[in-house]
Amino acid sequence: MQRSSLIFFLPFCFLLFALSFNACKFNPDVQTPGQAYLQGEWKQDSVTMQQQLVSYSLYNLKFTCDSFFVRINTFSKVNAGADSCTRSGHWAEYAKGVYEQKNDTLHVRGLFCNADYSYKDPTGCLRSGVYEEYFKVKKKTDSLISLSPTSGVLQVDLRLIKRTACNPKPL
């Protein structure tokens, strides 16, 4: 190699070598711990003025390390059409995924699923695909939290029904 080519080649190699240590890193092979105060099962018992509302939803959330599972029980006094899935005025939807909290905002993102955590057929009843929500979190006590969804107006007041500890599992 000629000396002039070497002058240009060496800095390029050094830069490539330096970037290889800082630019890329592998995702962890185990769950991250998540928020310690959220670990466990949480339940919403009621919604303010629910008897006067045409429709409302109650949430059951389970947080395990950085993962969540939610059951959304929806009640409606209105028949939304000929859909046999909602004709009774009560239905449940399920979603699972991961969450993260930054400051007072809880971001949950996952997929709609069946009650047994299996993948939900997109041609079936109700919603399917991506489930994503942002909540403003207020911790009232160790066993009471309040979530205010940024996409809605009804506050989700949750009480702790079972505390668990994070035991990270392999991904």
Side-chain angles (χ1 to χ4, degrees):
M1 191 178 275
Q2 292 182 344
R3 183 176 167 94
S4 60
S5 297
L6 191 58
I7 290 173
F8 289 107
F9 183 70
L10 284 177
F12 174 74
C13 287
F14 177 75
L15 183 62
L16 186 62
F17 179 73
L19 289 175
S20 68
F21 282 105
N22 294 325
C24 298
K25 60 182 178 180
F26 291 104
N27 289 330
D29 56 356
V30 295
Q31 290 177 298
T32 58
Q35 297 293 323
Y37 80 95
L38 285 176
Q39 301 303 303
E41 295 178 33
W42 299 80
K43 183 176 182 179
Q44 181 183 22
D45 295 315
S46 64
V47 173
T48 304
M49 297 176 47
Q50 76 183 32
Q51 297 303 323
Q52 288 79 16
L53 296 173
V54 174
S55 296
Y56 62 93
S57 296
L58 298 176
Y59 290 74
N60 290 2
L61 279 151
K62 181 179 180 182
F63 293 98
T64 307
C65 298
D66 64 354
S67 302
F68 77 93
F69 179 71
V70 63
R71 176 184 170 140
I72 306 166
N73 292 303
T74 302
F75 302 86
S76 181
K77 296 175 186 173
V78 178
N79 186 349
D83 187 358
S84 62
C85 301
T86 62
R87 193 173 293 156
S88 67
H90 173 242
W91 62 93
E93 295 177 287
Y94 306 89
K96 65 178 179 176
V98 295
Y99 75 92
E100 66 178 346
Q101 183 172 346
K102 291 184 182 173
N103 300 318
D104 67 346
T105 303
L106 180 68
H107 177 213
V108 294
R109 180 172 169 79
L111 296 172
F112 283 97
C113 63
N114 296 309
D116 65 357
Y117 299 91
S118 64
Y119 176 72
K120 187 171 189 295
D121 182 1
T123 61
C125 289
L126 309 170
R127 296 182 285 177
S128 62
V130 174
Y131 171 76
E132 183 170 23
E133 187 68 72
Y134 290 87
F135 297 97
K136 292 292 184 188
V137 180
K138 284 185 190 171
K139 184 178 173 189
K140 295 181 174 185
T141 68
D142 285 344
S143 60
L144 293 172
I145 58 173
S146 181
L147 305 178
S148 297
T150 59
S151 65
V153 294
L154 295 177
Q155 188 168 295
V156 179
D157 292 322
L158 299 167
R159 68 177 172 83
L160 183 66
I161 57 174
K162 182 180 178 186
R163 176 70 68 193
T164 59
C166 174
N167 183 12
K169 294 181 175 60
L171 298 175

